[in-house]
Amino acid sequence: MDIAAQSIDGGFADPVFNAQTVFRAVMDAMARPGSVQPLPAFTRPPAPLSATAGAIALALCDNDTPLWLDPALQASAAVKSWLGFHAGAPLANTPADAHFALIANPAEMAALDGFSQGTQDYPDRSTTLILQVGNLVSGAPLLLEGPGIEKTATIAPAQMPRHFVEQWKQNISRFPRGVDIILAAPDGVACLPRTTRIKTMEA
């Protein structure tokens, strides 16, 4: 199939309803960090972009939200044209310019502090990272505490970056600035807002 056909196929079948469903799942996951909100496969983007990450991008991104792609996605002309056609989001030149960042390979992603952290006056101008993970159960367990979590919650996303817990501690220390993370797994979505603290299981 040529790139032109690939870029048109596989978007939302019912754009308004699908986008609302995805948006609600992401908001619920942000409000209850560590919870997994199920998400049907609404999209069929070209590889290596996953169906879940593709749906989140289409629900959240538009022509006012610069989008940064990690090298694996940047290398795919089909992914770039699919996102351009369905989301209309301009591609950010650097991580620091991005409102959203799509990361197909979280294990090798750039450091969190390289993305836009927002400002003290406008902390919402930071980057929201959308990480594609194989699942939310087979990685190193992360024990979560903070707003929206009754006592603690545990999540174990696969393929996370090395030193992620250290980077996240630094992210929390920058509050109200800092990045938020959406974890896009094949069967659902979970979130790590910047207010969530991570305790490692060994500690």
Side-chain angles (χ1 to χ4, degrees):
M1 188 190 294
D2 65 7
I3 284 177
Q6 269 189 323
S7 69
I8 294 169
D9 283 355
F12 285 148
D14 182 342
V16 174
F17 176 74
N18 293 163
Q20 285 174 340
T21 304
V22 175
F23 187 77
R24 197 174 306 122
V26 171
M27 290 300 111
D28 286 350
M30 276 285 178
R32 294 199 292 281
S35 68
V36 180
Q37 304 295 326
L39 203 56
F42 283 130
T43 65
R44 294 188 322 281
L49 185 59
S50 74
T52 308
I56 293 167
L58 297 200
L60 300 184
C61 300
D62 59 30
N63 49 17
D64 291 327
T65 55
L67 177 63
W68 190 78
L69 305 180
D70 78 347
L73 294 170
Q74 188 69 39
S76 167
V79 165
K80 287 192 282 194
S81 62
W82 188 85
L83 287 166
F85 182 83
H86 291 287
L91 293 183
N93 295 322
T94 70
D97 296 327
H99 282 221
F100 293 97
L102 271 174
I103 314 289
N105 189 357
E108 304 194 355
M109 68 182 260
L112 296 179
D113 60 10
F115 294 93
S116 173
Q117 304 293 309
T119 64
Q120 292 297 113
D121 292 338
Y122 298 102
D124 56 335
R125 291 186 181 168
S126 63
T127 307
T128 298
L129 280 62
I130 303 165
L131 273 52
Q132 290 185 188
V133 293
N135 61 65
L136 295 164
V137 294
S138 74
L142 305 174
L143 189 64
L144 311 179
E145 296 179 335
I149 302 169
E150 201 161 319
K151 288 196 174 77
T152 58
T154 305
I155 192 168
Q159 298 116 5
M160 290 299 275
R162 283 175 46 216
H163 312 306
F164 175 71
V165 174
E166 286 311 309
Q167 289 192 52
W168 192 252
K169 282 181 179 154
Q170 293 167 10
N171 189 61
I172 291 169
S173 72
R174 289 189 280 270
F175 187 84
R177 298 161 63 239
V179 299
D180 301 305
I181 290 180
I182 300 171
L183 298 165
D187 53 353
V189 57
C191 290
L192 294 172
R194 69 192 76 175
T195 51
T196 299
R197 299 182 300 280
I198 296 178
K199 293 177 112 45
T200 36
M201 294 302 221
E202 299 85 72

